[in-house]
Amino acid sequence: AEPAPTLAFTLSSRAHRYRILHPHDFVRRDCPSTGQVEGLAHHSHQRVEVPLSRVAIGADVRRHRDQDRLRRSGVRLVEMEREARELGIAKPIGRGLAFAGIATLPMLIAFALTSKVNPNMTFLSVGVLCIIAPFAEEVLFRGFIFRQLYQRARLGFWLSALLPSIVFASKHLYQSDDMMELLGIVAITGTGGIGFCWFFMKWRYNIWAIFGLHSLMNLWWEVFAVDDTALGGWLANGARLATVIIAVLLTIYRDKFW
């Protein structure tokens, strides 16, 4: 019987060339070691003959390996999409940010009329205080902790909102050494944390609505250097209260008028 076809290729320092040959194309068909490889010492070239069955097996192994890699990649993408939905990141961005922009107008107007632009403000301070920190805090405290306690553990709104808000408030204790001022900071930030939980729930777990609100409130506070702490004075808290009231009204009537 005629031997099976083989794949012969030439290896050189310049290129790789492949073609299908039959054994009768070679003067010597058998090699003492394997009967499959014929070497031709010719300058820097070497020609190797491999059975097509081995080539097919190798291609099949590579194909299965590629399919397995694609399957694992697909599973990971599905997991990432599920995690994004769980944290509220996959929700629409535009409407949530528009809500935050409208709601924080009282703070922008009040601070612009009564304060000067912060001379110590930098791109780094704005990036950290107004983008990175608010996003990380909302994803962790509202997107993850609050939602897990409220939706998964079913602890009820108040307990689910109170626990992450206490931790959130404790992150601001570094801002002062005065006991009375610290109590005020904890009261403001703790109440704000509970409020963000309520907005997150009412916005059907859209993280962008509360991130935008948190981010812009921090931004106007930083741009106009309202206070060194989160406490603020009467004017600052009046503007902040007006922002909260507008945010509540926009949330309650968000599907009716806009």
Side-chain angles (χ1 to χ4, degrees), residues 126-142:
V126 171
V128 172
L129 297 176
C130 308
I131 298 177
I132 297 176
F135 182 78
E137 289 171 349
E138 295 310 322
V139 168
L140 175 62
F141 294 114
R142 263 65 73 175

Side-chain angles (χ1 to χ4, degrees), residues 3-23:
T6 56
L7 176 65
F9 54 93
T10 299
L11 299 178
S12 72
S13 59
R14 295 183 299 276
H16 298 271
R17 294 173 294 177
Y18 304 87
R19 62 193 182 92
I20 298 296
L21 297 175
H22 279 77

Side-chain angles (χ1 to χ4, degrees), residues 6-217:
T6 56
L7 176 65
F9 54 93
T10 299
L11 299 178
S12 72
S13 59
R14 295 183 299 276
H16 298 271
R17 294 173 294 177
Y18 304 87
R19 62 193 182 92
I20 298 296
L21 297 175
H22 279 77
H24 57 68
D25 291 331
F26 296 93
V27 176
R28 196 182 78 207
R29 297 183 181 177
D30 297 324
C31 185
S33 58
T34 63
Q36 306 295 342
V37 178
E38 179 181 10
L40 297 177
H42 179 65
H43 299 292
S44 61
H45 298 74
Q46 183 182 19
R47 189 164 63 185
V48 180
E49 183 187 344
V50 181
L52 284 179
S53 59
R54 293 190 181 182
V55 175
I57 291 173
D60 190 58
V61 170
R62 286 192 298 271
R63 184 172 65 253
H64 282 292
R65 186 184 300 125
D66 292 341
Q67 290 174 350
D68 185 60
R69 187 180 298 113
L70 289 173
R71 184 165 54 252
R72 289 199 301 268
S73 299
V75 169
R76 182 54 187 157
L77 287 175
V78 171
E79 291 176 349
M80 291 176 63
E81 183 180 357
R82 183 170 62 247
E83 292 164 359
R85 288 199 304 268
E86 185 73 13
L87 295 173
I89 298 174
K91 294 287 186 176
I93 299 177
R95 195 180 184 195
L97 296 183
F99 151 77
I102 297 172
T104 57
L105 282 176
M107 294 181 66
L108 171 61
I109 296 171
F111 298 161
L113 293 176
T114 59
S115 304
K116 295 181 179 180
V117 175
N118 183 5
N120 299 319
M121 179 179 57
T122 64
F123 285 109
L124 180 61
S125 66
V126 171
V128 172
L129 297 176
C130 308
I131 298 177
I132 297 176
F135 182 78
E137 289 171 349
E138 295 310 322
V139 168
L140 175 62
F141 294 114
R142 263 65 73 175
F144 180 68
I145 299 178
F146 167 72
R147 190 169 187 182
Q148 295 304 310
L149 295 176
Y150 182 63
Q151 273 201 321
R152 309 305 177 201
R154 300 184 181 278
L155 296 183
F157 173 79
W158 288 107
L159 184 57
S160 300
L162 183 62
L163 293 177
S165 298
I166 291 174
V167 181
F168 174 69
S170 68
K171 287 179 72 277
H172 299 80
L173 293 178
Y174 71 92
Q175 295 181 356
S176 178
D177 295 326
D178 182 77
M179 181 57 65
M180 295 304 296
E181 193 171 40
L182 280 177
L183 291 176
I185 292 172
V186 170
I188 289 289
T189 55
T191 303
I194 295 174
F196 283 131
C197 289
W198 184 84
F199 287 121
F200 186 52
M201 177 186 66
K202 290 298 183 179
W203 274 85
R204 301 190 184 104
Y205 308 105
N206 186 332
I207 201 72
W208 302 109
I210 56 174
F211 161 71
L213 193 63
H214 191 168
S215 176
L216 289 179
M217 291 176 76

Side-chain angles (χ1 to χ4, degrees), residues 92 95-96 99 201-204 206 247-258:
R95 195 180 184 195
F99 151 77
M201 177 186 66
K202 290 298 183 179
W203 274 85
R204 301 190 184 104
N206 186 332
V248 170
L249 293 176
L250 291 174
T251 299
I252 293 174
Y253 298 106
R254 70 188 184 93
D255 293 325
K256 296 181 180 180
F257 300 112
W258 72 293

